[in-house]
Amino acid sequence: MVRILLSNDDGISSEGLHTHYESVRPLGEVIVVAPDREQSAAGHSLSLHRPLRINARGDDWYAVDGTPTDCVNLALNGFLKDRPPDIVLSGINKGGNLGDDITYSGTVAAAMEATLIGYPAVALSLVYEEGEPFRFELAGQFARRIAEEVLNRGLTKGILLNVNVPNIQAGECRGVRVTKQGKRIYGDAIVEKIDPRGREYYWIGGNGLNWVRETNTDFDAVANRSISVTPVRLDLTDFDSMDELRRWKFL
Ligand code: MN
């Protein structure tokens, strides 16, 4: 019997999580361990300075008052230790996790945590633009397909799959592309204003819809109505720079 651990960063009540659950449930036993509230952009943060609490929310549904990383860590190293999953899935996130943004992403961080602990993992995100209705059908269909492929074929140790699905009808999808991580161009990334008491305040995250035009990127695939699958390596070492650095005078 296949066992799946499912988490996310939008919180346990998120529509994307429930769609993901329904989609992969026919594959086996699914255990949900997710944050009790939204934790988007939590990155790969772990709560070390306070206790964490787990609340059962039905059969094999658990809400944790922590980050996505906390959820996966607690589950794999703690209370699900004697029920290890065959695969860890994260999402479906309401919003893309493309290019450099994956370093901020709680959705991808949940998959990273699983990868670090030694489990195959997939992060899934729905790429939508502000004001559009969420269309989860295609992402739900693909969630099951990619999970089946990983379960059948396995994944190289230290590699996770970052999947981004365009927010289109299933019939409009042009296919699946294996892509590389693209690069976003931040426009007016910081909004600077004056509050009602006359003090300046700043808001991070303005216009960031542009990206470096390059084919084979995750951005390009989604813009062309295709599903993007990016293999992401957690070893961040740049091996090409090592020889150059060894020539530096450090002492
Ligand atoms: Mn999110």
Side-chain angles (χ1 to χ4, degrees):
M1 171 92 148
V2 165
R3 187 178 295 134
I4 296 168
L5 173 64
L6 177 59
S7 193
N8 78 342
D9 79 349
D10 292 337
I12 198 150
S13 308
S14 165
E15 191 186 350
L17 182 74
H18 289 258
T19 303
H20 209 160
Y21 178 82
E22 293 301 335
S23 158
V24 297
R25 200 162 59 154
L27 300 179
E29 182 183 34
V30 185
I31 305 166
V32 179
V33 183
D36 63 358
R37 67 202 77 180
E38 176 160 358
Q39 292 281 343
S40 292
H44 192 203
S45 70
L46 193 61
S47 304
L48 295 179
H49 303 291
R50 63 180 182 85
L52 291 165
R53 306 222 182 253
I54 302 166
N55 278 301
R57 296 275 180 95
D59 261 0
D60 277 340
W61 279 70
Y62 302 95
V64 176
D65 61 345
T67 65
T69 302
D70 292 334
C71 292
V72 172
N73 189 296
L74 270 186
L76 297 178
N77 288 334
F79 75 107
L80 292 179
K81 220 171 176 176
D82 46 353
R83 294 171 73 197
D86 300 288
I87 187 172
V88 179
L89 303 173
S90 178
I92 301 165
N93 189 57
K94 283 185 165 181
N97 279 302
L98 299 159
D100 323 307
D101 288 359
I102 65 172
T103 58
Y104 307 111
S105 169
T107 307
V108 176
M112 281 183 179
E113 188 64 7
T115 306
L116 289 174
I117 299 173
Y119 292 85
V122 181
L124 253 118
S125 305
L126 181 68
V127 186
Y128 83 104
E129 294 192 5
E130 213 63 47
E132 287 178 350
F134 293 105
R135 299 185 189 96
F136 279 108
E137 190 196 347
L138 177 63
Q141 286 173 9
F142 193 68
R144 180 169 166 184
R145 193 76 279 283
I146 190 91
E148 284 173 328
E149 281 297 290
V150 171
L151 287 165
N152 287 335
R153 297 172 189 266
L155 273 182
T156 307
K157 286 268 177 226
I159 304 288
L160 65 87
L161 297 183
N162 182 37
V163 178
N164 282 276
V165 179
N167 192 31
I168 56 178
Q169 311 282 356
E172 297 174 306
C173 181
R174 291 194 186 149
V176 181
R177 286 199 206 166
V178 174
T179 57
K180 66 171 197 163
Q181 195 183 314
K183 181 126 191 82
R184 185 183 286 287
I185 303 166
Y186 280 98
D188 302 321
I190 305 284
V191 176
E192 191 180 329
K193 295 228 164 119
I194 306 290
D195 75 14
R197 295 194 175 90
R199 292 184 315 166
E200 289 167 341
Y201 70 87
Y202 301 88
W203 206 297
I204 295 174
N207 169 22
L209 295 177
N210 272 318
W211 65 93
V212 176
R213 300 286 157 168
E214 223 182 338
T215 51
N216 298 334
T217 64
D218 44 10
F219 283 106
D220 193 68
V222 170
N224 285 289
R225 294 176 175 267
S226 300
I227 294 170
S228 165
V229 178
T230 310
V232 173
R233 185 169 50 197
L234 290 202
D235 182 346
L236 301 179
T237 311
D238 182 40
F239 292 94
D240 293 342
S241 299
M242 288 175 77
D243 280 341
E244 164 62 20
L245 271 174
R246 285 187 182 115
R247 285 192 285 271
W248 288 21
K249 289 194 170 69
F250 289 117
L251 291 173

